[in-house]
Amino acid sequence: MTTHSSDKTVFTRRESEARSYCRSFDTVFTRAVGSELTDADGKTYIDFLAGCSSLNYGHNDPDMKAALIEHISNDGIAMGLDLHTGAKGAFLSAFEDKILAPRDMDHKVMFMGPTGANAVEAAMKLARKVTGRQNIISFTNGFHGVTIGALAATGNSYHRGAAGLTPTGITRLPFDGYMDGIDSADYLAKVLSDASSGVDAPAAIMFETVQGEGGLNAASREWVEKVGRIAREHGALLIIDDIQAGCGRTGSFFSFDGWDVQPDIVTMAKSASGFGLPFAMMLVRPKHDAFGPAEHNGTFRGNTHAFVTARVAIEKFWSDDTFKNEIARKSELLEGKLEELAAMVPGAYLKGRGMMRGVDVGSGELAGAICARAFENGLIVETSGPEDEVVKILAPLTTPDETFVKGLDILLDAARHVTAGNQQIAAE
Amino acid sequence: MTTHSSDKTVFTRRESEARSYCRSFDTVFTRAVGSELTDADGKTYIDFLAGCSSLNYGHNDPDMKAALIEHISNDGIAMGLDLHTGAKGAFLSAFEDKILAPRDMDHKVMFMGPTGANAVEAAMKLARKVTGRQNIISFTNGFHGVTIGALAATGNSYHRGAAGLTPTGITRLPFDGYMDGIDSADYLAKVLSDASSGVDAPAAIMFETVQGEGGLNAASREWVEKVGRIAREHGALLIIDDIQAGCGRTGSFFSFDGWDVQPDIVTMAKSASGFGLPFAMMLVRPKHDAFGPAEHNGTFRGNTHAFVTARVAIEKFWSDDTFKNEIARKSELLEGKLEELAAMVPGAYLKGRGMMRGVDVGSGELAGAICARAFENGLIVETSGPEDEVVKILAPLTTPDETFVKGLDILLDAARHVTAGNQQIAAE
Amino acid sequence: MTTHSSDKTVFTRRESEARSYCRSFDTVFTRAVGSELTDADGKTYIDFLAGCSSLNYGHNDPDMKAALIEHISNDGIAMGLDLHTGAKGAFLSAFEDKILAPRDMDHKVMFMGPTGANAVEAAMKLARKVTGRQNIISFTNGFHGVTIGALAATGNSYHRGAAGLTPTGITRLPFDGYMDGIDSADYLAKVLSDASSGVDAPAAIMFETVQGEGGLNAASREWVEKVGRIAREHGALLIIDDIQAGCGRTGSFFSFDGWDVQPDIVTMAKSASGFGLPFAMMLVRPKHDAFGPAEHNGTFRGNTHAFVTARVAIEKFWSDDTFKNEIARKSELLEGKLEELAAMVPGAYLKGRGMMRGVDVGSGELAGAICARAFENGLIVETSGPEDEVVKILAPLTTPDETFVKGLDILLDAARHVTAGNQQIAAE
Amino acid sequence: MTTHSSDKTVFTRRESEARSYCRSFDTVFTRAVGSELTDADGKTYIDFLAGCSSLNYGHNDPDMKAALIEHISNDGIAMGLDLHTGAKGAFLSAFEDKILAPRDMDHKVMFMGPTGANAVEAAMKLARKVTGRQNIISFTNGFHGVTIGALAATGNSYHRGAAGLTPTGITRLPFDGYMDGIDSADYLAKVLSDASSGVDAPAAIMFETVQGEGGLNAASREWVEKVGRIAREHGALLIIDDIQAGCGRTGSFFSFDGWDVQPDIVTMAKSASGFGLPFAMMLVRPKHDAFGPAEHNGTFRGNTHAFVTARVAIEKFWSDDTFKNEIARKSELLEGKLEELAAMVPGAYLKGRGMMRGVDVGSGELAGAICARAFENGLIVETSGPEDEVVKILAPLTTPDETFVKGLDILLDAARHVTAGNQQIAAE
């Protein structure tokens, strides 16, 4: 019995053409610790992709790992449907104590199928059920998943085109800063107040505070707060999709911590388990907690292994401000390095917020070349944005400074190499 | 740090009203081995629910458990997006060797977000993309998940009502045996051949061979084969949703093993990981493997921990016919006991196939009373069907005979008790 | 200034390819009286198409013609939006006195854009508004128009394919007699009673009592009455689309006169104006008359010229039973002749009811050849059904016996000629 | 036999609550000539509503009237389905000679059910069929009809709310001048160029050049031309809905005459028949004339009586520039008078273009009061806009100066009276 195989032929022979990251990072990974991945040949890579922000606390955090092994060793529940389990109770208690209560959030927690898309589907369904309205406002460049309900809200045409039909129930409006001259919150307010705008009264207004897949477009605090007020005025639920931007990625647990906004629903997934395990949840204010028992159901709602690690993550990182301060410090380091990168490419500029940052280098071709070069030199980093024109850094928030700097320097070298090559081509 | 809590107040205080099974089985579970669950008070229950067929091999199978602990201990990958990993390669190799190749199935395997609903969404999208058609035929009493795309195909009005909008893209036809007098395959053939039937040319015809949530309605081999031929004649893909009926539940790995039907797509989830971990996949014939890279994407596509246990499950249980024969033997035992149960209730009759069986006792009230009484006596078992009128047995396929008989006797006692009570009430 | 042109080049040069009947009956018509049309060359044709049943009282009925000329000469209103006009008041009074009151129908009359499709759209919208439900049950081979709302209910794939999207909001069920073995009313009752049938609670059940375009499928009285009861039991509105079958076509003013069924909504168009002028209306019971002012609006709602002729039609033909008896007599004559026709073609059989009859000759090719031959000999008659396999007779109900027999004999000759040719070909 | 009735009880007793204009103008009209309506009591009203622009040439134009009477007297065709008729040929010839050829328009003419909504439905379906795309861009405050396909494109929430479901297939964008700061053509270009804007590649971009129901918002020539270029660049058809703004209403036959824009499709209705008869058509460039025979069908496609009057209208009014110059002159007169009106109301301002003008008086209440007062004094005039805040003048273009001035003076007096009353109330 072989537990690990470095034979890649089985992937091309038997895995669907839908596979993707493995094409850019074409090796067989076998181990991972902290911010580093190791492949079958023993080569180590710094990981600035971090499971698309699912590994904010790095790979195989020792405390979560120990707790999970202990749980399994003791024949702890692996699959518990939505039964009460000790692991779930302990997670809920920790989440209440460390996250909800300190923020005066009275939200209840709903566990659904462990994907972000499922959290979004549940949120959209619930908003429609609660309000009796069908329309949901979503925004240019938003990404909320690719199952049909969520896909309606997702902007990306490649993903939309795969549906084979046009998903319904969405009105698309311009996101904050989408185009010069448009005050998109004012536009939102106007269409909702105008009885013949053609924008039906919405069940919800839904957005990411930083659009992860859409190109690291960060909404301003003012915009988020204003949209929150508009939602309330028009009887729409405010849904903040914090799947990618939450769990510390932008500097605090929620991406909107400290802002004057109280979302009716928050969707979470990715780093919510702490360990990269499949896990999703929806936070919903009690007054809107209107699903009946199992009305939105699914087999894997509440991944018990994930409850174990998620509890450790909450207790370890969010019991005080240490981690938050650490992220803030590291964000500055990141910002400085990315400014260096931006300076290499005419017209390039920084995007994003906190540890969810990148550089728009103006073309997907260039961004792709930089990432490819970086991979050759031992760094995993990907692009984002409508044309993949943004080099996007999603390093584990726990990355040690030395590794972080090393990774960023690989990126800078790659950018230097690629842009030098371009200039050489231009000069010839 | 408390890892387990038996305090149930946090559930009512902080878990959404959507929670469900915990209402019927209202205790806090902490450990599970094989076919038994133990709660925080140390009470042990026989589990005939088995994670809704997600635990066909029982809880915490020792070989899977060992492999998983080893994987974690060695810092194996937990979250790998859709990168190549050793664990994935080993699973694919085992799945090819033990499952696909012996059946001459050339299917490729697509991993998506680890829920059955996501597998169904991907299958429906792919069928539409491949054919350029929108309509998908699904059947009365079918259940395929509750995200909007899949929900269109799901028959249950309680779940459909939660959408807040009417999902699109489905034509509903009567399932095999739905109503006396209707030959539903002939009806299907007729509407597809009739240019003004109003049933648009379908992208796919999708069904479960045994409708798990719909009341254990088992399609006949003849019907399945005929519908397969009709699909081929009309250029529609045949999608068999084997999420609940697959992985040995009906007696063989696929529910259609040995039948003269070759589905274009098979959806799998539930017991696919072997260990109850979130995991889903779609098997698709190479000629239809038409998604581009990441066209249907998701963060948790391919749960690496699940690859580890799934490989063990395949190698341990499906390397030869031992397990299959064991299931066949146990099915007979089950059938005998359920006939006893049916004999207690006038008009009751057996439904289902293999180890996916139940008894229609004529009313949801009666079925619910039987299950409630069984729970008091240490058995977890649930109902199914449009009115919850079917007592449904989904015992782990690995349940030792002694435990199996013990569980079934608790069920029979419960039925005896409840029906005696009813007769007493009637007599008074 | 030329008022009539026999130059056909302008049609091919400037009229859209969507033109249709003019391809089968390729001449330029200039005059029409009673049951006969005359072309620019002075050739006269017997008209068994009758504007697809829009000319039940024949062309240019002298009394309607006189009233209309008088109205125009006196500068009567031509376009009145939905203002009160004398002409509308007079029509409503006549319709109340001669049609509604004698049948104890308390229905109110709504005028919309003057097309049958618009009446259907209004009916479907109203049923949804009244019930708060979206689903509407329609039937195989039904035809209700081609605007998107109505097209959802229309079965014909050629028309459905022209939409460029899949219209929503319909469940399709088998019509009465659609397939041996299926009791379609029982099937309807079952899916509505089954909580997981996947057929959502309907806003309305809508059908034609005789499917004009779908092949002259006539529902039985028993089926119509049963479906009416099922609709009531399930809180659905009963919509009878009497656009083609109404106004005497099946023998009485409404196609359901004398049956134990009270439709909540009746849609009317085609012969409603009496003179072939664009005109449509919806009859709706007061308790469901729930549109607000202009909530379903349109410029031409209520064609004032049509009010004038429609009033004359009602008063002239429906003040007593004379016309009804005349239709009954003529229907028998028709039936006899069509039996002769059916006898010429092996397997052919009669379809339809009253003066809405035809013969299914088994193939569209044969039916088309018969109609083409008939046209050569001075008869205008068309086909119907999914494959155009039904020769369909829609003669004006006022056709004099001599003309009627003459037309039918042309048809029989054509059938004889074509089938003889076929036999000759077969014999060679 | 009573041909005219002034008894209004039949309307409340038997006409649907959907009736509307008759509520504001509550009398029974019996005759109409030119720009004046007469009621059953002999009272005469100046008509500045003109059948919502369906009577651009006034009521009962003597030449059209004579031609129509002659046609009917001679037993001309009343109902011709889409057969060739002399009347249709003569209309097409006149339309080609006087309208299409002089403008170098190669468009073909499609006749459909005689309502504007039907023309819009056909246009939307055709654009989808031709491009294989589903999405159609429509604009804030647009009005295109209330059948489900067209309603998707209509902005008005009152009408949208009557559907009982959410119509699909539309993306709503801001119209020209909708909000300060938004260059809506640039925004359109951006979302179509942005691969993750969430606005799917459109089949068509559709708008009115002056939004009749939406409040007389007039698009600038620059915007229309720019949007035309954007449509072409993105492979979308340009549909100009000229139903209300066409036929001379804005000063020329088409509302875009002389502009550098060539719409792929033009929808026409309202005044197209010249006489107020139900009539609609779609002009489509030959390369997009892709419907098959009867693929978009309907009984009343091509109203033969309307062909007769429409031909006269074309020949009489559009053979040279006389009428166009007359409209221009009258528009100036109108503009002057409306400036007087606007001066009476603080903040009021003129809207619209040509003879399609009005004054935004800031509130629906005020606008309604002015119109009500005007009606008392013998003028029929209505409001428009999202809140009915625009007093909208749609006088027949043929209105004699004396009558026109008289009507406008009634309107000014009404405004003076109402605003004086308001000031008095404010002063008290």
Side-chain angles (χ1 to χ4, degrees), chain B residues 123-208:
Chain B
M124 294 172 76
K125 285 168 61 177
L126 183 57
R128 288 177 174 132
K129 185 182 182 197
V130 163
T131 60
R133 300 171 177 179
Q134 298 199 5
N135 187 30
I136 289 179
I137 308 269
S138 69
F139 293 88
T140 51
N141 303 129
F143 186 92
H144 302 278
V146 301
T147 52
I148 293 297
L151 185 56
T154 289
N156 190 288
S157 59
Y158 181 59
H159 295 113
R160 293 177 66 80
L165 51 69
T166 304
T168 60
I170 284 291
T171 298
R172 181 86 42 189
L173 293 185
F175 192 63
D176 189 24
Y178 186 64
M179 205 174 113
D180 288 345
I182 300 186
D183 182 320
S184 80
D186 282 354
Y187 180 56
L188 169 65
K190 181 165 169 68
V191 294
L192 296 189
S193 301
D194 175 353
S196 75
S197 69
V199 177
D200 297 322
I205 300 173
M206 178 169 73
F207 56 84
E208 310 144 274

Side-chain angles (χ1 to χ4, degrees), chain C residues 390-410:
Chain C
V390 178
V391 176
K392 176 184 176 186
I393 318 301
L394 291 174
L397 308 177
T398 53
T399 309
D401 279 14
E402 189 186 7
T403 310
F404 196 34
V405 169
K406 185 176 166 196
L408 289 167
D409 285 342
I410 292 174

